[in-house]
Amino acid sequence: TFIGRLIQDYYRVDGEPLGERNPKWLQDDYVKFIRWAQWRIERTGAGVLAFISNHGYLDNPTFRGMRQSLMNAFTDIYVLDLHGNAKKREVSPDGSPDQNVFDIQQGVAIGIFVKEPGVTGPARVHHADHWGPREAKYAALQDIDFAGTDWKSLQPSSPFYLFVPQDMELWAEYETGWKLPDAMPVNSVGVVTARDSLTIHFIADDVWRTVTDLSSLPEASARERYSLGKDSTDWKVSLAQKDVSTSGPARSRVVPVLYRPFDVRQTYYTGTSGGFMVRPRPEVMRHMLAGPNFALHVCRQTISEGWRHVLVTDGLTDDCYVSSRTRERGYTMPLYLYPERQTHGNQHVLQRQSHWPAGPGGRTPNLDPAFVADLEARLGLAFVTDGTGDLAATFGPEDVFHYLYAVLHSPTYRDRYAQFLKTDFPRVPLTSDVGLFRELCRLGAELTALHLLESPALAHPFTSFPVPGSNEVAKGHPKYLAPGEPEPGSGRPLEKGRVYINETQYFQDVPPEAWEFHVGGYQVGEKWLKDRKGRVLTYDDLQHYRKVVLALRETVRLMEEVDAAIPAWPIE
C-alpha cells in the first residue's frame, strides 16, 4: 500500500537498515498517521501537525529511524510528554502516583511538528513533561499556553535520536564502554515455543509422554487433548506433529530448559523452526547444547523500574527467562561456540569457522578480536583462548565473562547509567587496572556459580522447612511475613522472615532482602513458588528453594562487594 511504502522510510537510520527482526510497532496506526501527515506537509512545503498519541516513539529504539526522519522533515518539534504509562509503572519524580489522561495503560504525548517554508532540517527539538494525577494534568493543560510552557531544548543524536532529555556528558562516558553484542557477536533472542503448556514441563517423563502421544494422535484429537486452540501464522499443530515424528521421537532430545530465574524445566528440542517450537533459535542454542558452556542472558531494552535484567545461563534458554514484560525480551550470548556437525556421504565432519584456535570439543570463544585486543592493551596481559588465565600474565574467556558479569551486578553501574540501560543493550566499561580486573573476575565467578546453583557456599542452606504437611502450594500463596510481623495463631512478633506455602507450612528464616530480590521482571522467591501453585513440592523442590534463598542473600552481599571494589566512576 501507499502508506506501507512511506513507512519504509522509518525502517532506516543513518542510511542503514534498522536491523530489527520484527519492528511491528512501526505498523501501529498512529505511526502511519504521523508518516502520512509528514508526507503531506513535505509536499506542501509548510504546515503544522499536532497530534496526541502513544508516547512510545519518543525513546523506544525501534523508532530511531522515525525520529531521525521527523527531524529531517520539520523545522521545530515540540513534545509534551503526559506520561501515565502503567506498563512502565511510571511514577512522578517526587515518588507520587502518575496517572494517564485517558483510561488506557499506554503513556501519552502531545507532539507538535512545525515545518516553516524554505527552512531545512534538522529540526530543533523541544521537550516538556506533565506528571501527577489525571485531574492535575487536565487543569495544567487547560491553563497553560504554548508560549508559557517550559520547553527544554534537546540535542537528539545518532544512533537513537531520542526525544527525551538525556545527560549528554554521562552518555559520552557510557558510550566509551563496549556494547555486549559487539563484544559477543553471536547471540539471539531465547527460544519461543508458542505453546508453553504443550512444550514445557516440570519433569522429563511428562515431556516424553506428551511428545510420544502427540506424534501418534490425529491432528484434531491432539488439538482437543492439549487445548491447542487455533493455528497461528507461525505455529501449526500439524507441523509440530511432523517435527516430532521426523525427529524420532527420540528420548535423547528431552533436555533441560532454563525457563525462569532458578527454574529449570524440561522440553523436547529438535532445532526446527516452526515445528514443535516456533522459534528454537538453533543458530545460538546448539552451542548451549553441544558441550559445557554458559551465556549471558540480557534484555535489550526495559520498561521496569530499575535495571536488573541479566542472568547467567548454561543451557537451552527461554526468551522470557529474565522477564516476560512487553519490550523486555531476552537475548542469549554464549561464551563458547562449538563447530557444526555436517554429514558428507557416510562421514561426519565438524565445520568450524573462527579466527581463534580450537579448544576442548573444538569450541572457540564468542569474543570479538577487537574487544579482546582492547582488553589486552589495557591490562598488559595475554589472552588465552579457553578457560581462565593466571591473571598475572594471562586472562581467558571465562575471566572476561566473570568481569562482565560483575560489572553488570554493580548497583552503582545500574543506577549511574539507568537512563541508557532502558533503551539498548548494556555497554560495559573496561579497566586498565589489573588488580581491579582480578578482583572483579573473582566476584563475577562467585556470582556465576551462585546463579547456576553450583557454588560450594550453597552446600548448607540456613533456611528450614520445619512443619510436616501436604507440601502443596495453596491458592493465595506464597505469603511472606517479615521479621517483627505477628505469627499466625500466637500473635508473637516473628524473629525471622517466613514464606508460607499454605496455611500451616512455611520456609523459616527467609531474609527480607532475599524475598524482595528481583531479576528482571520477576521477584524471584515469590515467582518460583507462585508458578507451582497447586503442586506438591518434592524433597528436591524443598532443597532447591532453600538453596535459592541462600543464593539470593549471597548475591546481595556480593553486589555490595563489587561496588566496594570499584574505587571510582567512571571505571579506569
Side-chain angles (χ1 to χ4, degrees):
T1 66
F2 175 65
I3 296 296
R5 292 194 298 274
L6 289 179
I7 287 290
Q8 293 303 308
D9 290 344
Y10 289 174
Y11 282 70
R12 302 181 69 83
V13 63
D14 294 333
E16 299 294 329
L18 281 180
E20 302 278 353
R21 285 184 171 88
N22 182 24
K24 60 183 180 182
W25 292 304
L26 291 176
Q27 295 298 323
D28 285 355
D29 287 345
Y30 83 93
V31 177
K32 294 177 180 178
F33 180 85
I34 289 174
R35 182 64 189 97
W36 177 85
Q38 175 189 340
W39 168 82
R40 181 69 265 176
I41 290 173
E42 285 179 306
R43 283 177 60 88
T44 304
V48 176
L49 164 64
F51 195 48
I52 184 166
S53 71
N54 181 327
H55 73 171
Y57 74 95
L58 302 183
D59 62 354
N60 188 319
T62 298
F63 295 91
R64 59 194 185 273
M66 175 183 177
R67 291 190 289 270
Q68 185 185 34
S69 179
L70 290 169
M71 287 180 64
N72 290 336
F74 290 95
T75 309
D76 285 277
I77 295 174
Y78 298 86
V79 174
L80 181 57
D81 194 344
L82 300 177
H83 298 283
N85 194 319
K87 294 182 178 180
K88 288 185 177 181
R89 301 186 180 181
E90 285 190 306
V91 295
S92 301
D94 63 2
S96 62
D98 178 59
Q99 296 178 324
N100 203 300
V101 294
F102 301 125
D103 292 327
I104 59 175
Q105 290 188 312
Q106 181 60 56
V108 170
I110 298 172
I112 302 173
F113 306 87
V114 181
K115 171 66 175 174
E116 296 181 25
V119 181
T120 58
R124 296 177 293 269
V125 180
H126 317 270
H127 180 276
D129 290 297
H130 276 320
W131 298 92
R134 176 185 291 187
E135 294 303 323
K137 292 179 181 179
Y138 286 168
L141 292 170
Q142 181 71 30
D143 293 341
I144 65 171
D145 58 24
F146 183 84
T149 300
D150 184 17
W151 298 106
K152 179 178 180 179
S153 295
L154 305 183
Q155 295 178 327
S157 59
S158 180
F160 296 114
Y161 301 97
L162 297 172
F163 285 4
V164 294
Q166 298 283 299
D167 184 332
M168 298 313 295
E169 289 186 12
L170 197 61
W171 166 252
E173 172 187 308
Y174 178 71
E175 197 177 22
T176 63
W178 275 84
K179 189 188 293 189
L180 285 181
D182 292 340
M184 306 177 76
V186 176
N187 59 81
S188 78
V189 173
V191 300
V192 179
T193 72
R195 297 292 188 279
D196 280 10
S197 61
L198 175 73
T199 59
I200 308 288
H201 295 266
F202 285 100
I203 60 176
D205 285 349
D206 287 347
V207 176
W208 181 240
R209 190 178 302 111
T210 297
V211 165
T212 53
D213 194 29
L214 185 70
S215 65
S216 62
L217 285 173
E219 180 182 332
S221 300
R223 190 185 304 276
E224 181 179 0
R225 178 172 298 183
Y226 294 102
S227 303
L228 298 177
K230 295 181 179 180
D231 289 343
S232 65
T233 303
D234 297 331
W235 192 91
K236 295 177 171 54
V237 173
S238 61
L239 296 181
Q241 291 181 296
K242 180 181 178 181
D243 182 30
V244 167
S245 298
T246 302
S247 68
R251 182 70 189 234
S252 61
R253 293 186 181 273
V254 177
V255 296
V257 54
L258 285 91
Y259 186 64
R260 298 293 183 265
F262 300 95
D263 190 350
V264 181
R265 308 274 182 99
Q266 300 290 321
T267 191
Y268 187 82
Y269 189 78
T270 69
T272 302
S273 296
F276 189 60
M277 292 182 177
V278 63
R279 294 187 183 91
R281 313 294 184 190
E283 68 278 12
V284 163
M285 294 304 162
R286 71 175 185 84
H287 300 295
M288 302 304 298
L289 297 173
N293 208 344
F294 41 90
L296 293 175
H297 190 85
V298 62
C299 293
R300 179 180 180 181
Q301 53 185 299
T302 65
I303 61 171
S304 301
E305 187 66 27
W307 192 89
R308 54 221 175 195
H309 292 70
V310 63
L311 193 63
V312 64
T313 171
D314 61 355
L316 193 69
T317 311
D318 189 85
D319 76 319
C320 294
Y321 177 49
V322 161
S323 181
S324 59
R325 290 181 179 170
T326 304
R327 288 177 55 185
E328 293 191 348
R329 176 152 287 177
Y331 287 70
T332 301
M333 302 178 178
L335 179 60
Y336 292 113
L337 306 178
Y338 282 84
E340 186 173 7
R341 185 180 298 273
Q342 295 186 349
T343 302
H344 296 279
N346 294 323
Q347 303 262 332
H348 293 291
V349 180
L350 294 179
Q351 298 290 327
R352 188 175 69 86
Q353 293 182 340
S354 178
H355 39 269
W356 301 115
R363 71 183 188 181
T364 55
N366 178 29
L367 296 173
D368 185 87
F371 170 70
V372 172
D374 191 0
L375 258 178
E376 285 183 311
R378 290 170 184 267
L379 297 170
L381 305 179
F383 181 65
V384 295
T385 58
D386 199 85
T388 60
D390 58 18
L391 296 182
T394 62
F395 69 99
E398 291 172 34
D399 297 315
V400 175
F401 186 95
H402 296 148
Y403 172 84
L404 296 174
Y405 203 54
V407 173
L408 292 170
H409 278 84
S410 160
T412 299
Y413 170 87
R414 294 179 174 191
D415 290 343
R416 185 178 183 86
Y417 303 125
Q419 58 185 313
F420 313 123
L421 289 166
K422 286 181 174 292
T423 58
D424 199 14
F425 288 111
R427 290 177 177 267
V428 178
L430 302 185
T431 183
S432 301
D433 183 335
V434 176
L436 176 58
F437 182 77
R438 189 180 297 122
E439 179 64 5
L440 292 180
C441 287
R442 181 186 71 81
L443 293 169
E446 288 191 43
L447 285 165
T448 298
L450 279 175
H451 296 166
L452 294 176
L453 297 184
E454 295 174 350
S455 172
L458 301 178
H460 303 288
F462 58 84
T463 302
S464 62
F465 190 74
V467 180
S470 68
N471 292 2
E472 181 179 346
V473 182
K475 184 178 180 180
H477 292 76
K479 293 179 180 178
Y480 182 69
L481 296 181
E485 292 192 57
E487 180 182 34
S490 73
R492 292 189 298 267
L494 292 172
E495 294 183 5
K496 299 177 179 180
R498 292 180 181 177
V499 177
Y500 279 81
I501 68 165
N502 53 45
E503 292 300 318
T504 59
Q505 291 184 286
Y506 54 85
F507 289 95
Q508 169 77 345
D509 195 2
V510 179
E513 65 269 22
W515 174 251
E516 294 166 4
F517 193 88
H518 282 72
V519 172
Y522 307 119
Q523 184 177 339
V524 178
E526 178 187 48
K527 176 67 175 172
W528 193 91
L529 288 170
K530 192 174 181 180
D531 284 353
R532 284 157 177 78
K533 193 174 298 183
R535 292 184 64 84
V536 173
L537 300 183
T538 66
Y539 174 80
D540 287 342
D541 289 335
L542 299 176
Q543 294 302 102
H544 179 92
Y545 191 79
R546 294 174 65 210
K547 288 183 178 181
V548 169
V549 172
L550 177 52
L552 297 178
R553 189 193 71 172
E554 288 299 288
T555 297
V556 174
R557 177 183 64 82
L558 287 170
M559 289 175 68
E560 294 174 352
E561 287 194 28
V562 169
D563 255 11
I566 300 171
W569 292 84
I571 290 179
E572 296 180 353

